[in-house]
Structures are given as structure tokens and as C-alpha cells.
Amino acid sequence: MSLVKRTDRLPFILEDIFNTDWFGGTSSVSKIGLNTPAVNIKETDDSFTIDLAAPGLTKEDFVIELDTNVLLISSEVSKEIKEERETYTRKEFGYSTFKRSFTLPDTVKTVDILASYDNGVLSVKLPKKEEAKVQPKRSIEIS
């Protein structure tokens, strides 16, 4: 058995205190997600798709707005947990908010934008205007 003095343990202890529930398990507050969600943007011939990773939220937690050619996705969530037992009372609360904005190209058909939320991912589909879609190769006759 090795007796090694750990001088670097203090940051880990503080991390444990702030990230762990005092009575076992992971803190419910930390499940809210206090960071700006990651985003993937994919382009196909017909559309753009914005996928925003936001597990633990519901579709009602999002606000999606379009102002001219700027798409704004935001969320504001507040949660409170209160647990009362014979020997103690525990009260935790959490607040999470984020805003992401995207300047849309003129090729997006803004009236047909669709959004869905499934398995922790918000997907916003931005269809392209007909004239912006890739046209098939064709031959042009010379006159």
C-alpha cells in the first residue's frame, strides 16, 4: 500500500461539494444545464437544419422567433426542489437561460420554417427557396 500525499485534492473536493447532492446522487440543480447548448448546422440540397443539444428541457421551455432574417432560439428555465424530512429540510433551486441567434441567408424560405424537439435535441428545419435549390444537370441546345 502506497501512502502518497495528494496536494492537488482541494479542487476535486470543491468540485464534489458543488456537483453532488448532500444525500447521495447527483444534484438535481446541475441537471438543468447551465451552459449554452452546442449546435450543429447541416446543409442539404433542399434545406438547412439546426440541431441544438438541450437535454432535460421540454418543447415548452423554448422560444423561437424570426426577426427579418435573424432566427433567435432562447430558453429560460427555473426549477425549485424542496424536501422536508424529520431531521432536515433541503431546498434547492436552479435557473438556466440561453439565447442563440443565427443570421439566415436570403435563400431560406422563412414562411416554411419548422421546429421539433425529440430526445433532448431541438431541430429547426430551414427550407431553401426553389430558386436556391441545386438544379439537376441538363444539356443546353445551341441555336
Side-chain angles (χ1 to χ4, degrees), residues 35-54:
N35 297 324
T36 302
V39 172
N40 288 331
I41 300 174
K42 179 175 63 173
E43 180 180 10
T44 64
D45 291 341
D46 298 331
S47 66
F48 297 94
T49 302
I50 299 173
D51 289 331
L52 186 136

Side-chain angles (χ1 to χ4, degrees), residues 73-90:
I73 301 173
S74 62
S75 176
E76 186 173 323
V77 178
S78 176
K79 292 187 180 182
E80 184 175 311
I81 299 168
K82 186 173 183 179
E83 180 180 355
E84 292 187 29
R85 301 270 176 113
E86 273 184 41
T87 57
Y88 66 88
T89 299
R90 175 179 69 115

